[in-house]
Amino acid sequence: MSLSRKKTSSPQEEPHTCLVIGAGSRGSGYAVFSKLYPQDMKVVGVAEPNKIRRERMVQAYDIAENKIFTDWRDAAKQEKFADFVIIATVDQDHKDPAVAFARLGYHILLEKPMAVTEKDCREIVDVCREHNVKLAVGHVLRYTAWVNKIKEIITSGQIGDVVSIRHTEPVGFWHFAHSYVRGNWRKEGTSTFSLMAKSCHDLDLINYWMLPQRCVSVSSFGKLSHFTKKDKPAGAGSRCLDCSVESTCPYSAKRLYLGRVKEGHKGWPVSVISDIPDIENVTEALSTGPYGKCVYDTDNDVVSHQVVNFQFEDGATVCFNMVAFTKRLCAREVKIYGTKGEIAFEDGWKDVQVFDFLTQQTTHHNITSGHPNQMGGHGGADFHLMQAFINTLGGKGEMVVTGPEETLNSHLLVFAAEKARVENRVVTINPDGTF
């Protein structure tokens, strides 16, 4: 998936123009592609309610005044002025702009999840199909070298028929506290449930690796542990800055945020809590905002750990485990068991390992990303998604592997799994994806 640094468009062609809706870390991260390959992509508009983030985009991409918006609805009122939109708003606000801009004929790069209800996901797909709109969803892990190497090995038959997969998403103890206890994804009512917010990536990978086999039933268990009021230590305050036991707490906001700022760190996660991540502004954010609250005293309600079991139509089984309380941060662990061998990979390894039952030898398949340093998000997958999307728009073939139908299918697995957890039962999935 490498992209030559040479000009990929003919002299007569113009770059694909883009409107960015939501200029946070994801929207601005995808937009960097236009800096690296200005012949292929140009950011011409931005819709962002946050003044600092909006102005950063305007300055970075020299956006004309009449293409700057605080609300995406105002951009949608204008005649179509860009080839595609990047929609990177908060999860619950994905559906409305996706539908609106699809009806205007914009192609769409939509950050995951596609939407937070099955009905909204289906509507997005239907509208994009009706208006002949290209849709790519930000399941960026599909574009990583290790994911595709695993798929290649499975397809080649090296390990025979897949009979079982064990896949773990270790969220990371402080990452979960940051995003799912204090952060934007802490409440299902204002965002979505944990499995969709954090692990729709992983269920998408399971769906991808198991194709063309179809999942026929799913069960799931999980709960919110530890980050509750009953677990609050004696003497703990409501905020870390005023807490007498803060120094003994592994989830201390002072350590997580101020400690990083003092070390000169200005990126994620401190960039999330303050647009100007210095000592003064971060301290103010911890004094007044959600990121300074005690993790045992917030309004969070999403589960901290969940296991999902899938059975596929050929009898193969998959076990997925999402857990907050881990040392490793989002470093997936994968074991795939076949009739002739097994595949092993852990995020951070430089190879995918295959053990052959006949020879009892392990083969190491090297993996390289080939992405530019400026787009290293998700191990370079952010870059490869943008490359595939731009090349698809440019008529170089259908290179997007996270299009509407396949993304909908993997999202339906997430909804079915959550239904199984909430209703404490095995959910049967019909051939049409209903359950």
Side-chain angles (χ1 to χ4, degrees), residues 130-395:
E130 177 186 354
H131 293 273
N132 197 29
V133 162
K134 298 286 187 182
L135 171 67
V137 178
H139 275 154
V140 292
L141 294 184
R142 282 270 201 120
Y143 299 85
T144 59
W146 66 269
V147 166
N148 286 288
K149 177 57 67 174
I150 288 175
K151 180 64 173 178
E152 177 187 316
I153 294 166
I154 292 172
T155 302
S156 73
Q158 290 180 52
I159 64 166
D161 297 327
V162 173
V163 296
S164 186
I165 295 178
R166 188 179 78 231
H167 182 82
T168 299
E169 159 71 301
V171 183
F173 72 99
W174 66 261
H175 176 22
F176 191 88
H178 167 71
S179 295
Y180 303 94
V181 179
R182 295 176 170 125
N184 292 336
W185 296 273
R186 67 184 183 272
K187 285 182 68 66
E188 184 174 342
T190 56
S191 177
T192 186
F193 51 95
S194 290
L195 195 67
M196 182 62 80
K198 188 69 189 80
S199 300
C200 65
H201 276 311
D202 302 281
L203 271 62
D204 182 66
L205 296 187
I206 290 167
N207 183 59
Y208 178 48
W209 289 328
M210 290 302 299
L211 287 173
Q213 295 296 328
R214 185 181 66 81
C215 181
V216 295
S217 59
V218 57
S219 65
S220 183
F221 306 92
K223 65 170 291 188
L224 169 59
S225 296
H226 191 64
F227 298 114
T228 68
K229 288 179 171 56
K230 69 180 180 61
D231 297 299
K232 188 173 181 176
S238 61
R239 288 189 174 273
C240 294
L241 294 184
D242 305 310
C243 180
S244 61
V245 300
E246 171 273 326
S247 63
T248 66
C249 179
Y251 305 101
S252 164
K254 287 179 66 175
R255 184 182 305 112
L256 174 57
Y257 305 113
L258 286 175
R260 280 174 163 76
V261 174
K262 289 176 181 177
E263 294 173 355
H265 184 85
K266 295 184 181 297
W268 186 88
V270 292
S271 60
V272 173
I273 72 170
S274 175
D275 291 311
I276 305 176
D278 57 20
I279 292 292
E280 181 179 358
N281 284 288
V282 170
T283 300
E284 174 63 21
L286 298 185
S287 299
T288 61
Y291 293 96
K293 287 185 175 181
C294 173
V295 292
Y296 307 103
D297 201 18
T298 80
D299 57 352
N300 61 304
D301 62 13
V302 297
V303 303
S304 57
H305 54 103
Q306 186 167 353
V307 62
V308 186
N309 299 303
F310 302 93
Q311 184 166 42
F312 284 76
E313 56 189 353
D314 66 346
T317 56
V318 176
C319 178
F320 169 69
N321 186 30
M322 181 276 289
V323 59
F325 306 99
T326 63
K327 173 184 176 181
R328 304 185 79 200
L329 189 152
C330 303
R332 273 91 176 170
E333 302 163 3
V334 185
K335 277 289 190 75
I336 301 178
Y337 304 96
T339 54
K340 296 181 180 180
E342 70 177 43
I343 300 171
F345 179 78
E346 292 187 11
D347 207 349
W349 289 6
K350 296 184 181 301
D351 56 25
V352 174
Q353 300 177 10
V354 179
F355 180 78
D356 186 288
F357 293 162
L358 177 63
T359 65
Q360 297 188 39
Q361 299 294 314
T362 298
T363 302
H364 298 262
H365 297 263
N366 292 330
I367 49 174
T368 56
S369 173
H371 63 272
N373 292 335
Q374 299 94 322
M375 290 193 73
H378 295 92
D382 289 359
F383 165 75
H384 292 303
L385 168 60
M386 286 302 305
Q387 176 196 31
F389 185 61
I390 293 297
N391 282 343
T392 297
L393 295 186

Side-chain angles (χ1 to χ4, degrees), residues 188 193 220-222 303 306 415-425 427:
E188 184 174 342
F193 51 95
S220 183
F221 306 92
V303 303
Q306 186 167 353
F415 290 121
E418 184 66 0
K419 185 179 182 71
R421 183 190 73 83
V422 171
E423 298 182 1
N424 192 29
R425 68 180 180 89
V427 169

Side-chain angles (χ1 to χ4, degrees), residues 25-40:
S25 59
R26 301 304 295 145
S28 60
Y30 289 134
V32 171
F33 189 91
S34 68
K35 290 286 190 182
L36 300 173
Y37 302 100
Q39 72 276 7
D40 295 318

